[in-house]
Amino acid sequence: YGPRRLELMHAHREGIRRGIPMVGNSDSPVSSYHPLRRIQDLVLRTGRNGKVYGSSQVLTVEEALALHTRAG
């Protein structure tokens, strides 16, 4: 996708910043269907190689948890 597009993939931080209602989800089978894993992905945003992708979109644990509970 390239660095510019990777930065915008799953742009939950940007949606929250703009006041857009956001919910946590999975894109199974592309990504894990396990909610705790998806929450971890929203907080860490690391690939299998350990590199952070889309660092401007990182969420706090509280924000990611809310997306998968209250918002869902």
Side-chain angles (χ1 to χ4, degrees):
Y1 294 104
R4 191 173 71 86
R5 288 186 180 156
L6 277 174
E7 193 65 31
L8 297 174
M9 288 182 67
H10 307 289
H12 291 86
R13 164 67 51 221
E14 185 65 16
I16 291 169
R17 186 183 74 73
R18 291 178 184 242
I20 299 169
M22 306 296 291
V23 295
N25 64 348
S26 76
D27 195 11
S28 183
V30 175
S31 58
S32 176
Y33 61 88
H34 296 285
L36 293 178
R37 178 58 194 245
R38 296 302 298 136
I39 291 167
Q40 178 183 2
D41 291 343
L42 290 170
V43 173
L44 300 178
R45 292 189 64 102
T46 55
R48 290 183 181 157
N49 60 4
K51 182 178 176 183
V52 175
Y53 294 97
S55 61
S56 69
Q57 301 303 319
V58 168
L59 298 182
T60 66
V61 172
E62 292 79 12
E63 290 169 328
L65 187 58
L67 292 183
H68 279 272
T69 56
R70 288 189 308 240

